[in-house]
Amino acid sequence: MRPKSLMLLIVALGCGLVAAVGINQMMAARDVTAAPTGETVPVFLAKEPINLGDTVKPDMVKLEEFPTDKLPPGAVTSLEDLKGRRARQKILPGMPIVDAWLLGKGESGDDVTTLVPKGYRIAPVRVDAVSGVAGLIKPGDRVDVLVHVRENPSMGINKTSTQTFLQNVKVFAVDDIFRRDSDGQTSVAAKTISLVVTPGQAELVTLATEMGTVRLVMRNSDDELVADTSGATPRQLFGLSDDTPPMEPNIEKEPSSGLMNLIESQRTQADPPAPPKDHWKMLVFDGAAPRQVEFEDGVPLDMVAPTGGIPAGSVPAPDTQPADSSSDSPPADGGEPAPGP
């Protein structure tokens, strides 16, 4: 055999040996991966949702092997440890049941303080058919909290607005109901809804209820997105920005009626014309000559002679005599007759 051919054969054998070793190692690694990496332990898992306050029943759970390296602390491994115990919080299907999520044996859950999560507070909010979402809110639901305030500069409120100040808040109780029935709870015309909040949030809820009107809006229990909102004002409601200068109100003046109409007409009217004067005439007999006297509002005017009569003043008055006349008749007072010239 030629040396060159021998060399090629040796190289081929070496490559085949290396490939065989590599394949053998890969198959061994696959077998190791398929084999269990650790020990398992039987643990009770939730078969269905277990709500707050529900009594854990055997048909709600199932026993399955669970890797010990992924086992949460306090996982329940004995059915005896579940008998007569109630859920302290909601447990989702497939989750291992942990002892800390259950009330102690013999505890009925009537002591509400045991259901309050550590580090949280329960803040009540007064509601009606509108603010309480028509009785649809139930314990365990998630809501956003809004407040509507009116302009009041004396309290630091410069404009009327509505603002969302809390989001994704858990409902603890509706009136005095803090357990949610597993078959579905009927709607309740609630007067108070209690929320699970932090101490700081409890202060905000209390302040909002004193300063304005609080509204609760429902949200999906699986929706944890926090929306970025800036509140709403009356100007935005009508499509105006807060930077737009205010417009003068275009209000047509309605005609007044009744007493206001009379007052308005007297205010805008010019001075009324003077009433016509009262004219009348009277025929006065002064001796033998009648005279016609004209009066205006009771005041006599120039005398006017009546038609066909004697001119006024042409007949002397009965008690007057000509100055140059003489008479032998005795004087009216019975004295001596006046001597002649």
Side-chain angles (χ1 to χ4, degrees):
M1 183 178 291
R2 295 180 181 180
K4 187 176 181 179
S5 301
L6 183 59
M7 262 319 253
L8 290 175
L9 180 60
I10 294 173
V11 170
L13 290 174
C15 291
L17 181 60
V18 170
V21 172
I23 291 173
N24 188 29
Q25 291 179 349
M26 289 178 62
M27 294 299 294
R30 175 181 292 183
D31 294 340
V32 172
T33 303
T37 57
E39 298 180 356
T40 60
V41 62
V43 175
F44 283 98
L45 309 180
K47 291 171 56 178
E48 59 187 56
I50 302 176
N51 297 310
L52 171 70
D54 287 351
T55 301
V56 181
K57 300 176 182 178
D59 57 350
M60 296 181 176
V61 298
K62 59 182 177 180
L63 187 63
E64 287 190 3
E65 295 292 330
F66 204 86
T68 55
D69 56 344
K70 296 181 180 180
L71 190 66
V76 178
T77 59
S78 172
L79 186 60
E80 187 67 25
D81 294 338
L82 295 178
K83 288 184 178 180
R85 302 185 68 177
R86 295 178 179 271
R88 190 188 297 269
Q89 67 179 52
K90 186 173 184 178
I91 304 174
L92 298 177
M95 295 179 60
I97 299 179
V98 179
D99 187 77
W101 298 348
L102 305 175
L103 294 173
K105 285 189 176 182
E107 292 183 5
S108 62
D110 294 335
D111 185 5
V112 182
T113 58
T114 60
L115 302 177
V116 180
K118 292 183 179 180
Y120 288 83
R121 306 291 184 267
I122 303 302
V125 176
R126 291 188 298 269
V127 296
D128 53 24
V130 176
S131 57
V133 197
L136 297 178
I137 297 179
K138 300 178 179 62
D141 286 342
R142 297 279 175 169
V143 296
D144 291 349
V145 188
L146 291 75
V147 62
H148 174 75
V149 292
R150 296 185 178 275
E151 180 179 357
N152 189 346
S154 63
M155 298 183 66
I157 304 174
N158 297 324
K159 60 183 178 181
T160 301
S161 63
T162 300
Q163 178 70 54
T164 301
F165 66 98
L166 290 179
Q167 298 188 42
N168 197 23
V169 178
K170 183 179 180 180
V171 175
F172 179 78
V174 176
D175 286 342
D176 58 346
I177 302 172
F178 55 90
R179 295 192 186 97
R180 186 165 184 155
D181 297 339
S182 56
D183 329 346
Q185 183 177 323
T186 57
S187 61
V188 177
K191 296 181 179 179
T192 304
I193 291 181
S194 301
L195 306 176
V196 181
V197 294
T198 64
Q201 292 172 339
E203 294 175 351
L204 293 177
V205 171
T206 303
L207 181 63
T209 56
E210 296 299 328
M211 294 186 64
T213 303
V214 174
R215 292 276 192 272
L216 303 179
V217 293
M218 295 184 68
R219 61 184 294 156
N220 192 305
S221 58
D222 296 330
D223 181 9
E224 298 183 356
L225 178 65
V226 177
D228 184 13
T229 64
S230 57
T233 63
R235 295 178 62 80
Q236 294 173 351
L237 181 63
F238 295 102
L240 302 174
S241 67
D242 291 336
D243 299 332
T244 305
M247 297 184 301
E248 294 294 332
N250 184 16
I251 303 176
E252 295 183 359
K253 187 175 181 181
E254 297 181 357
S256 304
S257 60
L259 179 61
M260 294 304 298
N261 188 21
L262 177 61
I263 294 175
E264 187 67 20
S265 63
Q266 293 295 331
R267 182 181 302 168
T268 57
Q269 231 177 28
D271 293 338
K277 295 183 178 181
D278 188 16
H279 286 80
W280 50 279
K281 297 177 181 180
M282 178 181 290
L283 191 62
V284 179
F285 288 89
D286 188 2
R291 292 182 298 168
Q292 181 173 292
V293 181
E294 186 177 358
F295 291 83
E296 185 177 271
D297 288 343
V299 178
L301 303 177
D302 294 340
M303 288 187 259
V304 181
T307 304
I310 303 172
S314 61
V315 180
D319 57 350
T320 61
Q321 294 181 357
D324 56 349
S325 64
S326 60
S327 175
D328 294 339
S329 60
D333 57 357
E336 292 293 332

